[in-house]
Amino acid sequence: TLHVMNLEYMKVSLFEITPDIFYPFSSAAGDRNPAVEDGSSPVIQLSSPFLFFGRTYRQIYVNNNGHLTFNQPSSVYTPYSFPTNGSQDIIAGLWTDLDNRVKGVVSYQQYTSGNVLTNATLDINTYFPNLKFNASWVFVAMWNKVAYFRHIVSSGLISGSNYSFILMNYGDIAVTGHPVQAGYDTVNSIHYFVIPGSNRSSSISNLRISSNVDVPGRWAFRVDSGLRNSILKCKSLIYR
């Protein structure tokens, strides 16, 4: 881990060596979650509205236990089994009992220009051809080496041209005894998805070699409209 002090802007950046599937990421002052058990970020105002299955959101919360919520933070550390038929939309990169007081960093960053948008545009057009997509905004949340186990996960939200997508990226994840789940769920579970095997704690280390877009460790979903668009346009499933 390398800490770099930018004296001009008085910010500290954290650069991590991560697999190629992760977008370049620096954790600057102001975009790290507090080291609080079952804590969350403050409300984050989005630089661009994000359309999630028909609902438009302008804010988000990054929760320390591995998931994103829109209307309010969540301290819940035991994942609900999707579908929950609940009252909130949720994106779970890897929802489980984490504790960033002990080790690791939970952080987030937004992009409206630069190489991250270029990479996102190329990725989405590869996974969802014929859309002629151009990314105008990317939001990345990362749970990096958070206790109680080796844990590198990021959830990326991508939007542009009235389309919205989620990328879930997985590095090394050790087996845990805690309940786990990865995927997403919507209000009343009209749309939901559970990444195969992610709700079995004994097999979550396989997430780094699983995929629905032929890129080990990455899952991609279109989420601006219905379930058909979100999954069926993706490529073949890899899960071992």
Side-chain angles (χ1 to χ4, degrees), residues 37-97:
E37 184 179 19
D38 304 327
S40 301
S41 69
V43 61
I44 303 163
Q45 300 300 326
L46 301 181
S47 301
S48 177
F50 185 71
L51 181 62
F52 188 67
F53 292 109
R55 291 181 177 82
T56 300
Y57 290 104
R58 292 175 171 80
Q59 65 178 40
I60 200 167
Y61 295 88
V62 177
N63 303 304
N64 287 353
N65 288 317
H67 52 297
L68 307 175
T69 48
F70 295 98
N71 291 326
Q72 60 188 15
S74 174
S75 61
V76 178
Y77 57 87
T78 300
Y80 306 137
S81 295
F82 299 161
T84 64
N85 296 301
S87 60
Q88 68 173 337
D89 292 330
I90 187 166
I91 298 168
L94 188 59
W95 187 357
T96 189
D97 188 6

Side-chain angles (χ1 to χ4, degrees), residues 203-238:
S203 62
I204 61 167
S205 59
N206 288 332
L207 286 173
R208 66 183 178 84
I209 57 171
S210 71
S211 180
N212 64 343
V213 290
D214 293 334
V215 179
R218 171 170 286 176
W219 289 74
F221 307 97
R222 179 180 168 187
V223 296
D224 50 271
S225 53
L227 190 63
R228 174 177 295 275
N229 284 334
S230 69
I231 296 176
L232 295 185
K233 289 187 178 180
C234 293
K235 296 183 180 179
S236 60
L237 171 69
I238 302 171

Side-chain angles (χ1 to χ4, degrees), residues 2-3 9 26 46 75 89 94 184-185 192-193 195 197 232:
L2 174 65
H3 294 267
Y9 295 100
S26 64
L46 301 181
S75 61
D89 292 330
L94 188 59
Y184 60 80
D185 197 15
Y192 67 91
F193 185 79
I195 293 179
L232 295 185

Side-chain angles (χ1 to χ4, degrees), residues 139-190:
F139 178 90
V140 177
M142 180 171 285
W143 295 262
N144 194 355
K145 301 180 181 178
V146 181
Y148 295 97
F149 52 95
R150 188 174 69 252
H151 185 105
I152 303 177
V153 174
S154 76
S155 294
L157 312 186
I158 301 170
S159 68
S161 308
N162 297 317
Y163 297 117
S164 298
F165 303 89
I166 301 171
L167 293 186
M168 296 183 181
N169 299 311
Y170 299 96
D172 288 335
I173 302 173
V175 172
T176 176
H178 298 298
V180 294
Q181 185 164 236
Y184 60 80
D185 197 15
T186 61
V187 174
N188 297 322
S189 297
I190 295 173

